[in-house]
């Protein structure tokens, strides 16, 4: 089985549709169908039940899925580690959403370079679903995310659950308006806003990266929900105030990795994450690698 066939099988299994898998892989539906049919011929069993609503894994397909994940991961690890820089014992490939790089992971890289010089790093920025896909494909070892969905074969660990506080900076401090700035912290946060405060969705300004949203509020005034650790230095300087809320929001941050990782490398990575979070004075519950079902 070639790697493109393995990727096609896993994409179709996740999407539940050959059409959706073809769109994600940027190939035709007939190409997906041909690859799956050829794989089924090789294995001598049916992997999918096709119907007008899509494609569902058979019992044989479910059993084969974990092997396909393992094969793809092994291939990607072999390909990348073959080019490992001299003097390094391992390669750690980590990805995260842009806002988390700006908030904490930009300080994690120097920690790793000081404390784990023999581990080469490959750092990526991406959307949550794309990073989860890369974890499953074996092209990432670790992802730090706000609200990961459950994916078979991946383990999820709660790193931190922060309080989100509503901060207001009077517009008199600058030239802005006194409107709410909607920050796209996570899908869960968006759902909570929709249920509790749907009127906030009509704001004229929505910003996808929290640190950029905070920069705007600080410069131009307005209100927005931000992690307390992020805004505390600003509040200590007397810039802005926290607006009390009857039902405060929280913002969990998760680490996601394959269920069977390189333990020695990930152990060092988590030591660095704990060091960074500890330096922030942040507190949160940790969950020891519970599998996402």
């Amino acid at each position: 089985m070639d790697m493109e066939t393995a990727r096609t099988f896993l994409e179709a299994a996740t999407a539940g549709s050959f059409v959706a898998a073809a769109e994600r892989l940027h190939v035709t539906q007939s190409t997906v169908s041909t690859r799956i049919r050829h794989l089924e011929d090789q294995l001598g069993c049916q992997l999918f039940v096709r119907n007008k609503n899509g494609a569902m894994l058979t019992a044989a397909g479910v059993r084969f899925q974990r092997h396909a994940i393992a094969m793809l991961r092994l291939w990607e690890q072999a390909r990348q580690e073959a080019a490992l820089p001299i003097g390094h014992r391992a390669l750690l490939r980590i990805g995260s959403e842009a806002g988390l790089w700006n908030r904490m992971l930009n300080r994690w890289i120097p920690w790793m370079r000081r404390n784990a010089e023999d581990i080469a790093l490959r750092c990526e920025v991406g959307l949550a679903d794309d990073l989860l896909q890369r974890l499953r494909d074996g092209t990432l070892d670790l992802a730090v995310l706000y609200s990961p969905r459950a994916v078979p074969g991946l383990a999820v660990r709660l790193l931190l659950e922060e309080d989100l506080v509503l901060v207001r900076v009077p517009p008199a401090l600058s030239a802005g308006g006194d409107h709410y700035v909607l920050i796209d912290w996570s899908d869960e946060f968006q759902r909570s806003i929709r249920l509790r405060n749907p009127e906030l969705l009509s704001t004229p300004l929505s910003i996808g990266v929290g640190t950029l949203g905070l920069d705007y509020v600080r410069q131009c005034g307005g209100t927005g929900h931000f992690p307390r650790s992020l805004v505390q230095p600003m509040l200590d300087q007397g810039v802005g105030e926290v607006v009390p809320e009857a039902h405060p929001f929280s913002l969990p941050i998760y680490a996601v990795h394959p269920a069977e990782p390189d333990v020695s490398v990930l152990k060092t990575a988590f030591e660095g994450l704990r060091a960074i979070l500890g330096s922030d004075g942040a507190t949160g519950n940790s969950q020891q690698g519970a599998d996402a079902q």
Side-chain angles (χ1 to χ4, degrees):
M1 182 180 64
D2 64 84
M3 293 304 105
E4 285 304 316
T5 299
R7 288 190 180 91
T8 302
F9 166 79
L10 292 172
E11 197 62 62
T14 300
S17 163
F18 287 6
V19 174
E23 291 176 352
R24 294 184 183 182
L25 294 168
H26 306 292
V27 298
T28 64
Q29 181 184 351
S30 62
T31 297
V32 172
S33 298
T34 299
R35 289 175 181 175
I36 297 299
R37 192 181 311 114
H38 180 61
L39 179 58
E40 290 175 328
D41 290 342
Q42 286 183 308
L43 295 173
C45 60
Q46 185 177 357
L47 300 174
F48 290 93
V49 175
R50 289 84 155 169
N51 54 50
K52 62 180 181 180
N53 295 320
M56 295 183 60
L57 287 174
T58 63
V62 172
R63 290 192 295 270
F64 178 71
Q65 187 177 32
R66 64 186 181 91
H67 295 293
I69 292 171
M71 285 186 286
L72 192 59
R73 184 178 299 131
L74 182 61
W75 165 253
E76 290 296 340
Q77 288 175 345
R79 184 180 66 82
Q80 295 192 19
E81 289 179 10
L84 194 64
I86 296 174
H88 292 76
R89 66 179 176 89
L91 170 67
L92 176 63
R93 301 159 300 177
I94 181 172
S96 184
E97 297 161 273
L100 283 167
W101 278 116
N102 290 340
R103 287 194 52 210
M104 59 183 245
L105 290 175
N106 61 335
R107 290 178 288 124
W108 173 85
I109 297 175
W111 188 97
M112 288 291 292
R113 298 309 301 148
R114 290 192 304 267
N115 296 277
E117 294 181 353
D118 59 345
I119 297 177
L121 300 177
R122 179 166 295 170
C123 305
E124 306 284 348
V125 177
L127 300 176
D129 282 350
D130 292 337
L131 295 171
L132 290 172
Q133 178 66 42
R134 293 191 58 187
L135 281 170
R136 195 191 65 175
D137 288 348
T139 58
L140 276 184
D141 304 303
L142 179 65
V144 180
L145 306 169
Y146 283 122
S147 56
R149 58 183 173 83
V151 176
L154 300 182
V156 178
R157 181 180 299 187
L158 178 62
L159 289 177
L160 175 70
E161 188 162 7
E162 292 189 295
D163 293 331
L164 283 179
V165 294
L166 183 62
V167 173
R168 178 177 183 271
V169 176
L173 296 179
S174 55
D178 195 16
H179 50 256
Y180 179 77
V181 179
L182 180 63
I183 306 297
D184 186 13
W185 290 114
S186 68
D187 292 342
E188 182 61 33
F189 174 72
Q190 295 279 4
R191 284 191 291 268
S192 297
I193 286 287
R194 192 173 293 110
L195 289 173
R196 300 186 201 175
N197 309 95
E199 70 281 359
L200 297 180
L201 297 176
S202 61
T203 179
L205 181 58
S206 177
I207 299 178
V209 180
T211 50
L212 296 180
L214 182 60
D215 285 343
Y216 172 83
V217 170
R218 180 165 186 155
Q219 293 180 48
C220 302
T223 60
H225 284 95
F226 300 97
R228 181 175 289 277
S229 63
L230 186 63
V231 298
Q232 195 60 54
M234 182 180 82
L235 297 174
D236 291 342
Q237 296 170 5
V239 179
E241 62 180 354
V242 174
V243 180
E245 294 184 282
H247 303 286
F249 293 94
S250 63
L251 181 65
I253 299 173
Y254 298 92
V256 188
H257 57 80
E260 298 180 2
D262 184 333
V263 176
S264 64
V265 174
L266 274 193
K267 179 181 178 181
T268 304
F270 279 113
E271 287 175 0
L273 290 171
R274 284 194 295 269
I276 294 303
L277 295 175
S279 68
D280 289 339
T283 59
N285 299 318
S286 65
Q287 179 179 341
Q288 297 300 319
D291 284 343
Q293 300 295 333

